[in-house]
Amino acid sequence: MSWLSSSQGVVLTAYHPSGADQAVGDSHAKGGEEATSSRRYGQYNMNQESSTKVMEKPPFDRSSSQDSLDELSMEDYWTELENIKKSSENRQDQDVVVVKEPDEGELEEEWLKEAGLSNLFGESAGDPQESMVFLSTLTRTQAAAVQKRVETVSQTLRKKNKQYQIPDVRDIFAQQSESKEKVPDGTESQSDRTNENKYQGKDDQASSPVGEKELILPMPEEAPASETDINLEVSFAEQAVNQKESCKDRTQKGKGDNASSTHFRLPKDKTGTTRIGDLAPQDMKKVCHLALIELTALYDVLGIELKQQKAVKVKTKDSGLFCVPLTVLLEQDQKKVPGTRIPLIFQKLISRIEEGGLGTEGLLRIPGAAIRIKNLCQELEAKFYEGTFNWESVKQHDAASLLKLFIRELPQPLLSVEYLKAFQAVQNLPTKKQQLQALNLLVILLPDANRDTLKALLEFLQRVIDNKEKNKMTVMNVAMVMAPNLFMCHTLGLKSGEQREFVMAAGTANIMHLLIKYQKLLWTIPKFIVNQVRKQNTENHKKDKKAMKKLLKKMAYDREKHEKQDKNTNDADVPQGVIRVQAPHLSKVSMAIQLTEELKASDVLARFLSQESGVAQTLKKGEVFLYEIGGNIGERCLDDDTYMKDLYQLNPNAEWVIKSKPL
């Protein structure tokens, strides 16, 4: 694709392979002869001005100074798609995923189950008290998203004449509405509105008004880009509503040029950045429920349809390497390497590619020979787990082709059956900021095996891009090559118009680009969601405390005396402004730490590690972390830049423990 800058605007140039195109796959393997083919170029002028003629160049004649979006980058996409189609013709017995079309209300019912709200309907309905705590922490847009689905399910159940009681949705949300009128919940507080205003000016400049649906493509990476922090403190859907409202009284400005060129940074948070993997499983489950509701609320606000799908029948192998579900692969691999989270074959293919050097020109773009790839697959299936496979026989481009083949032939897509369409729909969101917000939530929602494997893939792709001066593979070149493997392989049989196909190609390549470039941000749990989890835990503790109080009364315990003794013990143990940090696996197992304005988690770790011997200190560094445990959080691994006094004020009842991360 080319960005041809002129006074006439921006021209998008796409290459579409015609039926007379020749295979590219074997051309490089057989002496490097380049296949000649008839080519058809379709031009789309964004300003509807006269199009500019683009001269054809040799497929891999790239200079290191080229823009990441040049007239050949879309050709990379279509060539890769053609290679995928040809390779699929040579593969037999591919696994088939059957996606069930949901009946009326079934989609919403499944959504409520995924969001942890199944007791709002069906046989368990009638006593929704368990969900009241959860609902009390929702923002107005999140509550609206839930209410909309509950209403649909209720109407469907009434039509089906179910015998059990169906709660009126107004009863479910009445209590929440009353409480919010009296005291706004934590996610809609005045301080959060202040936070929103703090980011609003920057975001407005970096975004086009909501409702303008256009194709947002990344600018050439050499182009200067403005930088701004992305707002993780306020609900994404609430931000979209505020932006929508602010646009009503404002003349529409430019159409996203600023949005595509803005670079979003991960903001510094004094209470610490929470990454995926930092929370205990029980809290992570709550995060996933909230992420689904927030994603749905965001799509509702922006008028984008969010449809989850479900694979109801999957013909899969229960052993082997290719065409095997990730969960099955990991079960096999964990017998060999306990605790492994990424398939061993996946790791080995990446390792083999890197052994050949990441400076190889055309890495990932130039395919291996189709027949050789087929033979290698069969040999790997037979010898990989026996340890007798000869990796020296695998050429670098063959290993890259095998890696892409592995991704394509997963019985269910790496981005999951449930959320593949939602990932694809990200291209329809109006601004780059909202695309990143949606991707952030979708990454959180992926199953652990899919998310971990995707992360390993993206980290590898970034290492390839880091060598772009030698291999001529910029972030957009890599995105163009990899997008069909992640997004299109499960929809190759679908018929679509040429222009729709082009928009899908450009859109998914853009999503791939964002996934690669913003890994750190996308693997971060937004602060507003962590705060909602904290609030849920606090409310649940209050509920448990009330239940315990009744129990103690029945058992005739002197609760008041017990609490007084416990309080006195704690006060004597830890003076005001001091925390006690436990480190059961280090030489110094406990230490009282005075809180100061500048004290960070890294400083606490350093004090403990300074007590270790030289060798032990080196071994422990990077292997042990400071954890916040209890209070309003289950368990949270702290990043080094967490300011301890700020976090203590947020969670004064927490315990502080130094330990290693679980596998």
Side-chain angles (χ1 to χ4, degrees):
M1 176 175 299
S2 71
W3 289 90
L4 301 179
S5 301
S6 69
S7 59
Q8 295 179 334
V10 179
V11 180
L12 297 181
T13 306
Y15 160 71
H16 297 268
S18 67
D21 284 353
Q22 296 180 19
V24 180
D26 294 337
S27 62
H28 297 283
K30 297 177 181 180
E33 295 179 6
E34 295 177 310
T36 58
S37 60
S38 61
R39 289 180 171 85
R40 198 152 42 89
Y41 286 90
Q43 296 186 338
Y44 301 83
N45 191 311
M46 295 177 73
N47 289 346
Q48 296 183 341
E49 301 289 343
S50 58
S51 60
T52 304
K53 185 177 180 181
V54 178
M55 298 300 291
E56 183 178 333
K57 296 181 182 178
F60 307 120
D61 182 19
R62 285 171 163 80
S63 66
S64 59
S65 63
Q66 70 176 35
D67 287 341
S68 62
L69 279 171
D70 59 18
E71 59 266 30
L72 293 171
S73 59
M74 279 306 290
E75 182 172 343
D76 291 339
Y77 184 98
W78 301 117
T79 301
E80 182 70 18
L81 197 61
E82 198 67 18
N83 290 336
I84 292 172
K85 290 178 180 178
K86 290 184 181 299
S87 68
S88 65
E89 292 171 3
N90 297 323
R91 298 284 288 171
Q92 301 296 324
D93 303 324
Q94 293 188 29
D95 300 318
V96 178
V97 178
V98 179
V99 179
K100 182 180 181 293
E101 288 298 323
D103 297 328
E104 183 184 4
E106 189 176 358
L107 195 68
E108 289 77 12
E109 189 171 328
E110 189 63 35
W111 185 92
L112 287 166
K113 288 179 182 177
E114 291 289 324
L117 293 168
S118 57
N119 59 352
L120 293 183
F121 66 92
E123 294 176 353
S124 59
D127 183 22
Q129 289 301 315
E130 285 183 39
S131 297
M132 284 304 173
V133 168
F134 181 81
L135 293 171
S136 70
T137 67
L138 300 184
T139 65
R140 54 180 177 167
T141 47
Q142 290 174 348
V146 173
Q147 187 168 353
K148 182 178 177 182
R149 274 83 196 163
V150 171
E151 286 173 346
T152 302
V153 172
S154 298
Q155 290 169 7
T156 304
L157 292 178
R158 287 191 180 94
K159 286 179 184 178
K160 292 180 179 178
N161 296 318
K162 294 292 184 182
Q163 297 302 311
Y164 44 75
Q165 182 185 358
I166 301 163
D168 192 306
V169 68
R170 291 169 295 184
D171 297 334
I172 295 173
F173 284 92
Q175 183 178 334
Q176 311 311 320
S177 300
E178 290 170 9
S179 63
K180 285 187 179 182
E181 284 175 8
K182 293 175 183 177
V183 183
D185 84 36
T187 52
E188 297 180 34
S189 66
Q190 184 62 43
S191 62
D192 281 346
R193 290 195 182 98
T194 303
N195 286 330
E196 170 62 10
N197 292 334
K198 177 178 72 176
Y199 289 92
Q200 190 69 45
K202 294 179 182 179
D203 290 344
D204 283 348
Q205 293 170 7
S207 307
S208 59
V210 175
E212 291 184 13
K213 295 181 182 178
E214 58 188 69
L215 186 63
I216 299 176
L217 291 170
M219 293 295 287
E221 55 191 33
E222 288 83 0
S226 59
E227 285 195 335
T228 185
D229 289 347
I230 195 163
N231 186 352
L232 300 179
E233 297 183 15
V234 179
S235 157
F236 299 154
E238 293 294 325
Q239 291 182 48
V241 169
N242 292 338
Q243 184 182 329
K244 204 170 184 178
E245 290 172 353
S246 68
C247 288
K248 287 180 182 178
D249 302 323
R250 193 174 64 196
T251 305
Q252 291 187 351
K253 297 182 181 179
K255 301 211 171 200
D257 291 350
N258 289 337
S260 62
S261 63
T262 300
H263 176 75
F264 289 97
R265 295 184 304 250
L266 189 64
K268 295 289 185 182
D269 180 3
K270 281 201 157 189
T271 59
T273 299
T274 307
R275 296 148 301 195
I276 293 174
D278 285 349
L279 295 178
Q282 66 268 28
D283 281 341
M284 192 60 199
K285 187 176 181 181
K286 294 170 187 171
V287 166
C288 290
H289 291 160
L290 288 164
L292 176 58
I293 295 171
E294 178 64 20
L295 179 69
T296 308
L298 177 62
Y299 276 46
D300 283 354
V301 168
L302 298 176
I304 306 295
E305 189 176 23
L306 176 62
K307 279 193 174 180
Q308 281 181 270
Q309 294 185 309
K310 203 124 186 124
V312 294
K313 181 182 179 183
V314 186
K315 176 190 173 187
T316 60
K317 293 159 59 179
D318 56 6
S319 63
L321 299 174
F322 296 90
C323 307
V324 179
L326 278 176
T327 50
V328 174
L329 269 174
L330 288 171
E331 285 175 11
Q332 291 176 174
D333 293 348
Q334 285 165 0
K335 294 175 184 176
K336 300 277 184 181
V337 182
T340 188
R341 298 171 65 90
I342 299 158
L344 296 179
I345 181 63
F346 192 85
Q347 295 182 50
K348 184 59 184 175
L349 287 170
I350 288 176
S351 175
R352 182 59 186 161
I353 295 168
E354 294 186 322
E355 285 171 9
L358 294 179
T360 305
E361 187 168 344
L363 188 61
L364 295 175
R365 182 176 65 234
I366 300 176
I371 295 176
R372 195 162 61 238
I373 297 301
K374 184 178 179 181
N375 292 336
L376 284 170
C377 283
Q378 294 172 349
E379 197 174 346
L380 277 166
E381 293 279 11
K383 299 180 179 179
F384 178 74
Y385 283 115
E386 293 178 2
T388 57
F389 181 77
N390 179 21
W391 283 99
E392 296 299 322
S393 66
V394 181
K395 298 181 180 181
Q396 191 180 36
H397 291 308
D398 291 346
S401 292
L402 286 167
L403 180 71
K404 292 186 288 185
L405 181 68
F406 173 86
I407 295 167
R408 292 196 306 272
E409 294 203 346
L410 287 170
Q412 297 186 12
L414 186 58
L415 299 178
S416 79
V417 170
E418 291 83 357
Y419 297 109
L420 179 61
K421 279 196 171 182
F423 271 99
Q424 291 172 334
V426 167
Q427 66 185 294
N428 299 324
L429 301 182
T431 69
K432 179 179 176 181
K433 181 186 78 170
Q434 288 160 350
Q435 291 179 348
L436 287 171
Q437 290 170 339
L439 286 175
N440 183 197
L441 297 169
L442 283 165
V443 165
I444 290 171
L445 287 168
L446 285 175
D448 290 346
N450 298 61
R451 192 195 307 118
D452 293 338
T453 305
L454 177 63
K455 187 71 165 72
L457 173 65
L458 295 176
E459 288 173 346
F460 163 67
L461 296 179
Q462 185 58 58
R463 294 195 294 273
V464 171
I465 294 161
D466 290 342
N467 290 268
K468 64 184 177 183
E469 296 299 326
K470 293 180 180 178
N471 60 34
K472 309 298 187 288
M473 295 297 290
T474 64
V475 64
M476 268 316 293
N477 298 138
V478 171
M480 288 288 176
V481 169
M482 294 304 300
N485 293 282
L486 262 74
F487 289 96
M488 304 299 290
C489 53
H490 289 265
T491 57
L492 287 177
L494 299 180
K495 293 182 179 179
S496 59
E498 188 175 281
Q499 185 164 352
R500 179 179 172 81
E501 190 176 343
F502 167 72
V503 172
M504 175 63 77
T508 54
N510 177 50
I511 297 166
M512 192 74 225
H513 171 271
L514 295 176
L515 286 169
I516 297 169
K517 186 174 181 179
Y518 288 97
Q519 295 174 48
K520 191 174 180 181
L521 189 156
L522 298 180
W523 261 256
T524 298
I525 301 174
K527 184 177 181 178
F528 74 89
I529 288 182
V530 177
N531 285 344
Q532 286 181 291
V533 171
R534 289 184 186 278
K535 187 170 182 182
Q536 283 182 38
N537 290 336
T538 299
E539 294 301 318
N540 283 326
H541 289 331
K542 288 179 183 176
K543 186 179 174 183
D544 293 342
K545 201 171 182 180
K546 286 180 181 178
M548 181 61 71
K549 188 175 181 180
K550 290 180 180 179
L551 180 64
L552 290 174
K553 277 185 177 181
K554 287 180 182 179
M555 298 177 69
Y557 279 115
D558 186 356
R559 182 172 176 274
E560 186 177 341
K561 183 179 177 182
H562 176 76
E563 284 186 343
K564 188 176 180 181
Q565 290 175 347
D566 188 50
K567 184 179 179 182
N568 290 339
T569 303
N570 289 335
D571 289 345
D573 186 40
V574 183
Q576 188 71 25
V578 175
I579 58 171
R580 179 160 295 282
V581 181
Q582 308 292 335
H585 303 297
L586 298 181
S587 301
K588 185 81 173 176
V589 296
S590 180
M591 190 185 297
I593 304 285
Q594 178 70 49
L595 293 174
T596 65
E597 296 292 338
E598 300 303 318
L599 181 73
K600 295 182 181 181
S602 57
D603 300 325
V604 176
L605 279 170
R607 292 189 194 182
F608 274 88
L609 291 175
S610 66
Q611 305 292 319
E612 302 293 307
S613 63
V615 176
Q617 187 178 126
T618 305
L619 290 173
K620 296 288 184 182
K621 193 172 183 179
E623 293 184 3
V624 293
F625 304 88
L626 179 59
Y627 279 78
E628 165 196 9
I629 299 176
N632 55 34
I633 204 79
E635 182 175 293
R636 175 173 170 254
C637 181
L638 304 183
D639 78 86
D640 287 345
D641 290 328
T642 303
Y643 285 84
M644 296 306 298
K645 187 172 182 179
D646 292 85
L647 181 57
Y648 173 77
Q649 290 169 350
L650 180 64
N651 191 7
N653 296 318
E655 295 180 358
W656 313 96
V657 179
I658 294 174
K659 61 176 186 172
S660 58
K661 269 193 174 183
L663 292 175

